[in-house]
Amino acid sequence: MEKKYSVAIYPSQDVIASVKTMKDYLKSKIKWYNSCNSTAHITICEFKIEESDIEKIKLKLLKISDTFTPFRAYLDHFEAYENSGAFFITPNEESKIDLKNILKKTQETLKALKLKKSDDPHMSVGRKLTPENLKIASELFTIIDINFSCKEIVLRELDPIKKQFVVIDTFAFGSNPQPELIQGSLF
């Protein structure tokens, strides 16, 4: 049976709790909205595959995550995509570079799949907000300064009943960068 999966970066539990508080506060002002119940995360990609093929994907994720080195990620401002109604927390420039590296290399590892990719690392507060609700969110939330140890990626499966992704596996960063292939000469 085909299922929907997502690969993501989860922040620490205290950051997850802080973002949940923000989402709940926004929900108290504008009622239900897309992603109001989702756990704080940075999406790497989403895909659909047969459930029987997921073990192969887990092996690929295990292998690529072993090459990543943990780092501190700093998210320090809010931004919005007005065309899609997304309101989110975004990393500082240095963290954005580190996070983009994780996104790019993980997506490259899974390139055989038809991926819905993210190339701009961010943590959503709200999605598909109306222009009015986007304005409310941007007025409610103006200052943010959160950070966490980015030390693993997670594989999530969509729960069709709850319509939320649930973590089914975690892949810790192993700090084992693989040497780049260098073309040398014989002489």
Side-chain angles (χ1 to χ4, degrees), residues 88-131:
F88 53 91
I89 308 165
T90 191
N92 68 16
E93 286 308 310
E94 185 179 332
S95 293
K96 187 175 273 197
I97 291 166
D98 292 336
L99 290 164
K100 277 187 174 188
N101 183 47
I102 302 290
L103 271 59
K104 183 179 168 192
K105 288 184 176 179
T106 303
Q107 292 164 357
E108 182 66 24
T109 297
L110 302 177
K111 68 182 176 190
L113 301 171
K114 186 177 178 187
L115 298 178
K116 178 181 173 189
K117 299 188 278 190
S118 172
D119 59 358
D120 186 22
H122 63 276
M123 197 173 292
S124 293
V125 175
R127 293 183 308 109
K128 299 180 183 174
L129 298 175
T130 64

Side-chain angles (χ1 to χ4, degrees), residues 8 21 26 29-30 34 38 46 58-59 62 66 71 73 85 87 113 124 127 146 150 156 182:
T21 299
L26 182 58
K29 300 293 182 188
I30 66 172
N34 284 76
S38 69
E46 293 179 9
K58 287 181 180 182
L59 286 174
L62 182 66
D66 189 51
F71 62 93
F87 183 75
L113 301 171
S124 293
R127 293 183 308 109
I146 56 177
C150 185
R156 307 180 307 161
I182 300 170

